[in-house]
Amino acid sequence: MNEPDHYRVLGVSPQAPRSEIQAAYRRRLRDTHPDRGGDQAEFHLVQNAWETLSHPGLRREYDLLRFGRRAARRYGKAAARPAHRKVRGWNVAPPEEPKAASFSTEGALVAVPWHARLRRARPVQRPSAWIAAAVAAAAYALWALAGIAFCTAALSADASLFLRALSIPAALAVVMIVFVQTSRALRSRPARSPSPPTGRLVLAFLFAAASVWLAGPGTAWGWYLGVFVLAGAGGAWTVRRLRWTLALRSSVGAALRQFNAFGPAGTRPRADRPTGKLLREVLTNLPAARLFVALPATEGTRVPHAIVSGDRIALLCAPVGRDGADVDSVNLPEAVKALDAALPDAHVQGWVLWPTLPETARAGETAAVHDVAVAQAAADIGLWLAAGGAVYDLQVLQSLRMRLAAIPGPRTDDRSPAVRA
């Protein structure tokens, strides 16, 4: 933890409400203001403490970094995971609104920007918790109806004595198995998308086929029993997938609403002026776009900037990296291949941002790697990302955040906050 104790700077307790923190900040501001004879360094500490503790998201990240499990009791167990403690976020400022022209443009040829051709849509999240809940409810409703129909048909007057004696124990056995599997699914916290229970479904299908064959295709109770067993075998998987979807929404959704850029702990956003203009233009005009800074690609290399929109990831780099770990024009194809293999559900492409385009194309250029001039790159990158739709792909975003969380926080004597929104 390389940040000062903001609560001690303001003289409040970690459980203090925002009103008490604001009163302490105003009191300390009067005492430390340089115009009133205060210390300038202490004045900046008071300002940094207020900026962190006044923002709910930054205060939550700060508490989890400093107090660990004690803070997790207040914010919930899901907040104590490493992905929450080691990934920092901030907001990239949008560009200023252009001033109105002082002359008339009627009848003049005006260039239409690339984002004016996009259809603005409200971002949606996938996988959807509503769809997962509907699938789980449908599976259990089908299972319950099939079980009731099987018991009704088996206990009817036309059924044999053997079937009557066997129906109640068979139904109770299936109910107990489904109850145990469902309780385990409710207690589980899957870290990745749960795979369908192929073996269990195959056994249930064979049992259903045997039931229909023994009862005869024209007998209703055989079909009811088969559906009863099949729906019960797949019900626990639908609950486990719903749990996974809700966990994704709780871990990634809150960060998406607060920030539009993410990086490892201790990272500060760095970009030259043309690249910064490109990033702000794309992030402002694509509602589902999110920026990842210093994203690990291969062992020992990282992508300076990666923009994600839907299931599409655009890797951006300069012709020559700022340091030896940055991806550049030489090893960008390897970074694209590595991330494409690590994220099979995503489409990855790379762009080398040149100040001026070279006369000849780079050797080894592929269809997934492009050379563009940084001044005109926003249109190419923005239109390619927009083709993926206005969608938050929670699984891709969670995978990228986990890659950032795997980077250990730097040890430094700098006492200033690592990243401020």
Side-chain angles (χ1 to χ4, degrees), residues 51-410:
E51 290 177 7
T52 301
L53 299 183
S54 61
H55 191 285
L58 293 179
R59 183 181 181 183
R60 172 176 173 271
E61 294 279 349
Y62 174 82
D63 290 345
L64 291 172
L65 280 168
R66 176 165 289 278
F67 304 110
R69 292 186 177 181
R70 288 185 296 169
R73 296 173 185 174
R74 187 175 7 153
Y75 296 107
K77 294 182 179 179
R81 295 178 182 176
H84 294 265
R85 296 199 302 268
K86 299 181 181 180
V87 178
R88 303 305 300 273
W90 65 92
N91 290 315
V92 176
E96 297 180 358
E97 294 293 335
K99 298 181 179 179
S102 58
F103 56 89
S104 175
T105 58
E106 184 177 357
L109 295 177
V110 181
V112 178
W114 63 273
H115 48 81
R117 291 174 279 170
L118 300 178
R119 185 179 63 179
R120 295 299 180 92
R122 182 180 179 183
V124 296
Q125 297 177 338
R126 64 182 185 192
S128 173
W130 292 105
I131 295 178
V135 171
Y140 279 91
L142 180 63
W143 172 74
L145 292 176
I148 295 173
F150 165 69
C151 293
T152 304
L155 296 176
S156 62
D158 298 335
S160 62
L161 182 60
F162 175 76
L163 179 59
R164 293 181 185 179
L166 184 64
S167 60
I168 299 300
L172 289 177
V174 174
V175 168
M176 290 300 298
I177 293 174
V178 172
F179 177 77
V180 171
Q181 295 296 331
T182 304
S183 61
R184 290 179 180 177
L186 289 174
R187 292 193 303 267
S188 65
R189 293 181 178 179
R192 62 185 63 186
S193 177
S195 57
T198 307
R200 195 180 306 162
L201 289 175
V202 169
L203 291 178
F205 179 78
L206 294 176
F207 181 84
S211 301
V212 173
W213 180 72
L214 290 175
T219 306
W221 70 264
W223 292 98
Y224 292 149
L225 180 59
V227 174
F228 182 52
V229 174
L230 278 174
W237 173 76
T238 61
V239 174
R240 193 173 290 110
R241 184 169 179 82
L242 176 60
R243 289 276 296 170
W244 171 71
T245 305
L246 294 176
L248 274 182
R249 290 175 62 92
S250 62
S251 61
V252 186
L256 289 177
R257 290 189 294 270
Q258 295 180 10
F259 308 108
N260 63 353
F262 306 94
T267 302
R268 294 181 182 272
R270 297 184 304 169
D272 52 26
R273 183 170 298 179
T275 305
K277 181 181 178 182
L278 161 68
L279 297 176
R280 286 192 298 268
E281 183 177 350
V282 174
L283 293 174
T284 303
N285 294 287
L286 293 180
R290 291 296 180 267
L291 174 65
F292 286 81
V293 176
L295 180 68
T298 60
E299 186 175 359
T301 62
R302 61 191 181 192
V303 181
H305 303 99
I307 304 179
V308 183
S309 183
D311 59 352
R312 299 196 172 197
I313 306 175
L315 308 182
L316 312 181
C317 71
V320 179
R322 292 191 175 188
D323 53 49
D326 285 346
V327 171
D328 54 16
S329 60
V330 177
N331 51 15
L332 180 60
E334 299 178 3
V336 171
K337 292 180 181 178
L339 286 175
D340 192 42
L343 304 171
D345 298 331
H347 303 280
V348 185
Q349 291 196 14
W351 277 267
V352 182
L353 305 177
W354 295 84
T356 56
L357 279 175
E359 296 182 359
T360 57
R362 291 183 302 109
E365 182 178 4
T366 62
V369 180
H370 313 276
D371 286 315
V372 291
V374 64
Q376 290 82 29
D380 296 340
I381 299 172
L383 291 175
W384 182 77
L385 291 172
V391 175
Y392 290 136
D393 196 315
L394 300 182
Q395 190 170 0
V396 173
L397 291 170
Q398 176 73 342
S399 300
L400 294 179
R401 281 174 58 87
M402 294 304 295
R403 294 178 75 90
L404 293 180
I407 302 177

